[in-house]
Amino acid sequence: MAGNLKGRHFLRLLDFTPGEVRDLLELSATLKRNKRAGVSGRALEGKNIALIFEKPSTRTRCAFTVAAVDEGAHAEYLGKGDIQLGKKETVADTARVLGRMFDGIQYRGFAHRTVEILAEYAGVPVWNGLTDEWHPTQVLADLLTVMEEFGRLEGLALAYVGDGRNNMANSLMVGCAKVGMDVRIVAPANLHPAPELVETAREIAAGTGGKVTVTDSVEEGVRGAHAVYTDVWASMGEESKIEERIALLEPYRVTEAMMEATGRREAIFLHCLPSFHNLETELSQRYPKIREVEDAVFEGPRSRVFDEAENRVHTIKAVMVATLGR
Ligand code: CP
């Protein structure tokens, strides 16, 4: 059970073997069963965990906090205005200070290099809660959700539809390749992922029986898909690009017709959240076309988005227990 991960950082799924990713998913499933059965763990008893957030978060923050408390740890939230990180103190210095006080550190922010520096200097496990390039804890939750739905991962097809250059597209491409899935990135040509990363994901897939496709054709991309996945069209910090993204991505909105085009009655809809699916948010009232998914799909019988959100707790708990637990 992922016992060989003690002391490791969790920055990208690229840093983990297919077997290690599987172990983390198995451990997540076990921890979820235990929690449902009312069995509480003490694997992190006495540990102190720092949660650095340079960006807002609902799921990641709450999942780290609940997972830590479930296993007996104390979690301390350090928001953007609370600490000196990179402002009056170098990231390396903050890492060394926090590493003397805390047993593990979560970081959510912008540049991936920041979480790498934290990991280089902290001397304790560092977990990536989202950077501009990667969102590895999210993909573990996505894979657990698919596994629960279909009882397996190998050979299943997942179509990610939308902005193919963001941290979710990168992370899904690598995560799905690691577990032998057929992953399709379905995006307009000027929003395709970096070719070097596609090549790396294809090399991984060659060893796991998976497959990696990048296409601008929705029809080709979703045909036969077991899961259709999307994310918001402009990530945090990209608000100035909203109009431009709407123009590019409207044909990639997930609709009931797109779900039908999978040709699979059992196909599910996934989203990392938060989502624009109706006009009940400030931003969707200002930009009514911003919606990356129709409300009918989001609220419909194929949607598994809240199972996926719950699975953030179980998978993040698995990462902390595997890297830091007794
Ligand atoms: N999916 C996700 O990372 O959600 P939060 O931004 O709420 O943490």
Side-chain angles (χ1 to χ4, degrees), residues 53 56-61 108 129-130 135 138 236 272-274 312:
F53 279 85
S57 164
T58 301
R59 282 142 288 271
T60 309
R61 174 181 176 174
R108 162 173 290 205
L130 179 144
H135 198 1
Q138 177 66 53
M236 284 177 266
C272 50
L273 305 181
R312 299 296 307 285

Side-chain angles (χ1 to χ4, degrees), residues 7-325:
R8 293 265 300 271
H9 303 298
F10 188 79
L11 306 189
R12 314 175 301 176
L13 287 180
L14 271 178
D15 306 328
F16 291 80
T17 65
E20 289 169 341
V21 174
R22 292 266 174 196
D23 283 350
L24 284 170
L25 290 170
E26 290 301 327
L27 179 57
S28 306
T30 302
L31 292 169
K32 182 172 182 173
R33 273 195 305 275
N34 289 351
K35 181 160 173 145
R36 290 270 167 93
V39 179
S40 54
R42 309 306 301 168
L44 300 175
E45 194 156 28
K47 306 286 187 193
N48 287 294
I49 288 165
L51 303 178
I52 303 174
F53 279 85
E54 295 197 300
K55 287 180 171 180
S57 164
T58 301
R59 282 142 288 271
T60 309
R61 174 181 176 174
C62 297
F64 266 100
T65 304
V66 170
V69 170
D70 277 356
E71 292 293 327
H74 166 76
E76 185 72 20
Y77 178 77
L78 303 168
K80 189 173 164 51
D82 296 333
I83 56 172
Q84 300 292 359
L85 187 77
K87 292 189 287 277
K88 279 176 69 180
E89 181 168 73
T90 66
V91 176
D93 288 355
T94 300
R96 283 175 283 191
V97 171
L98 295 183
R100 298 290 184 103
M101 300 183 185
F102 290 91
D103 302 290
I105 300 169
Q106 183 278 169
Y107 170 80
R108 162 173 290 205
F110 297 89
H112 189 73
R113 183 69 194 130
T114 306
V115 79
E116 288 177 340
I117 297 171
L118 283 170
E120 279 166 30
Y121 286 90
V124 298
V126 171
W127 309 298
N128 178 4
L130 179 144
T131 60
D132 289 346
E133 289 173 55
W134 302 104
H135 198 1
T137 61
Q138 177 66 53
V139 173
L140 285 183
D142 303 335
L143 294 177
L144 180 62
T145 309
V146 174
M147 210 165 91
E148 288 171 340
E149 184 73 24
F150 297 100
R152 67 190 167 98
L153 292 170
E154 318 72 20
L156 296 181
L158 181 146
Y160 170 88
V161 185
D163 176 0
R165 294 183 314 185
N166 71 11
N167 47 20
M168 279 316 309
N170 291 346
S171 303
L172 282 166
M173 210 162 44
V174 170
C176 291
K178 291 266 178 189
V179 297
M181 288 177 72
D182 167 3
V183 58
R184 298 102 176 258
I185 304 298
V186 188
N190 47 352
L191 292 180
H192 279 184
E196 321 80 72
L197 185 59
V198 176
E199 200 44 48
T200 301
R202 285 189 173 136
E203 283 164 16
I204 295 166
T208 61
K211 190 176 170 194
V212 178
T213 304
V214 178
T215 178
D216 56 6
S217 162
V218 170
E219 190 189 351
E220 179 198 348
V222 306
R223 192 183 305 130
H226 296 81
V228 175
Y229 196 118
T230 193
D231 189 5
V232 291
W233 291 344
S235 299
M236 284 177 266
E238 293 188 326
E239 284 73 12
S240 63
K241 297 184 179 163
I242 287 176
E243 301 276 16
E244 174 198 327
R245 291 291 169 80
I246 289 171
L248 273 172
L249 288 166
E250 272 214 284
Y252 295 84
R253 177 176 295 126
V254 179
T255 60
E256 288 191 297
M258 189 188 290
M259 295 304 298
E260 284 302 305
T262 63
R264 289 191 189 277
R265 287 159 56 103
E266 73 274 28
I268 59 170
F269 170 70
L270 298 172
H271 195 306
C272 50
L273 305 181
S275 165
F276 296 116
H277 56 93
N278 60 26
L279 296 177
E280 293 171 24
T281 64
E282 281 176 27
L283 222 57
S284 59
Q285 280 169 14
R286 198 160 359 127
Y287 303 98
K289 292 182 176 172
I290 202 176
R291 285 166 289 163
E292 69 278 359
V293 56
E294 277 183 349
D295 206 36
V297 174
F298 187 92
E299 298 289 0
R302 295 176 187 267
S303 179
R304 298 291 179 275
V305 298
F306 296 109
D307 299 305
E308 205 180 347
E310 180 197 327
N311 283 339
R312 299 296 307 285
V313 175
H314 310 299
T315 45
I316 281 171
K317 190 185 287 180
V319 168
M320 289 197 292
V321 167
T323 56
L324 183 60

